Amino acid sequence: LLRAAIVQAAKREQRELVLVDPKDTTLECSQCGHRQGGPIADLMFVCYSCHTVHDQDENSALICLKRALESNA
């Protein structure tokens, strides 16, 4: 239902809409691309590989943006 509403709004406003699979965005580092397993219980994402610290939601949003740009290339 939400997806359909977003698609309709994009059409109405004549905007390009790129849908991406959000799967595993909470497990991937937006800085280096490292994927790490385990339960997500914290609000912060700490990469075990490059040691950067990200807000969990911001990190996931950056991964979605990266996937959208890659699929549109």
Side-chain angles (χ1 to χ4, degrees), residues 3-62:
R3 183 178 182 168
I6 293 171
V7 169
Q8 284 292 30
K11 285 180 184 177
R12 182 179 60 248
E13 298 297 322
Q14 298 179 344
R15 300 289 183 174
E16 180 181 8
L17 176 66
V18 179
L19 300 174
V20 297
D21 184 2
K23 184 175 189 271
D24 295 334
T25 57
T26 57
L27 304 176
E28 185 177 336
C29 177
S30 62
Q31 187 71 31
C32 73
H34 174 75
R35 279 196 182 198
Q36 53 198 42
I40 305 301
D42 201 353
L43 296 177
M44 300 304 290
F45 177 90
V46 180
C47 181
Y48 299 146
S49 180
C50 69
H51 308 289
T52 58
V53 179
H54 312 279
D55 173 84
Q56 184 70 23
D57 292 336
E58 185 176 304
N59 183 68
S60 292
L62 289 170

